[in-house]
Amino acid sequence: MLGIGLGELVILGVCFLVMAGSVLGIVLLVKHLTGLRGAVDAARAEFLQVVGYPWASPLGGDPNRTRSKQTPAGVFTHTFDVRAEGSSQVTVQAWHLAARPAVSFQLIEKSLVGAGRALLNLVGPIARTLTVKFPGPHATGDAELDARFVLFATDAGTAAGVVRRTEVKAALLELRDVSLLADEQGVSFGDPSDTNVYAAGASRTDVSPVPSIRAAITVHQRVERLLTAVAAAR
């Protein structure tokens, strides 16, 4: 006999179970992480296929913060940055279509217009403040649009006609926190936060990035649809 008492046997048994449980836990964790990596890779591949340029994580330190592609309407570019707001990190994004529109204007979500007509938004180059460029505000003549947006334009009648077009209005109402700029440089859309991604199905409680990637696909498609519709309006 080894001279091991009942107490020692119990302790050894507990240690064995803990070790076995730890090994099992590690095995399960590795399987989970492997499955998660596969799901993320699949979502990234879907993003590239559908959107036309690679997905990049702004919180992952990706150095490439500008992606672009050629479309029938012109070069379509996406730019993002990450900024601290209080204890949170928010992504500010801009999309630009290099296609000159028929009329210059800005259409802005009412909640984004602050004192002195400064916008906490991102349109064009990375910047957190944009001053309204055109006279206004003007009504669009559409009650549904006027409930959410303000229009700034030199030729308000023509600009209102553009945003009232069926395809432009439908694209506008799909998006949140709208800041739309049309000028001689092209057509741009700015998103000052992650609102559109969350509205498209992502959640702040998501552990996996997969829901955010799939929601981002929807957002990028919606913005491209809007900018293309505005550029084509004549």
Side-chain angles (χ1 to χ4, degrees), residues 5 24 34 36 47-49 73 77 82 85 115 136 171 187 193 199 216 227:
L24 178 60
T34 301
L36 178 59
F47 185 101
L48 177 61
Q49 180 181 13
T77 302
V82 179
E85 292 193 352
V187 190
S193 68
L227 301 191

Side-chain angles (χ1 to χ4, degrees), residues 100-106 134 152-156 159 181-184:
R100 188 164 183 168
V103 62
S104 295
F105 67 91
Q106 284 173 282
F134 305 110
F152 297 88
T154 301
D155 185 350
L181 170 64
D183 62 12
E184 65 278 1

Side-chain angles (χ1 to χ4, degrees), residues 198-227:
Y198 294 130
S203 170
R204 296 184 187 277
T205 60
D206 290 332
V207 176
S208 165
V210 171
S212 292
I213 297 173
R214 296 215 162 106
I217 292 173
T218 299
V219 174
H220 284 251
Q221 288 182 299
R222 288 174 176 174
V223 173
E224 183 176 356
R225 191 156 51 240
L226 170 62
L227 301 191

Side-chain angles (χ1 to χ4, degrees), residues 33 43 92 120 165 171 217:
L33 293 177
V92 288
L120 291 177
R165 290 176 68 97
I217 292 173

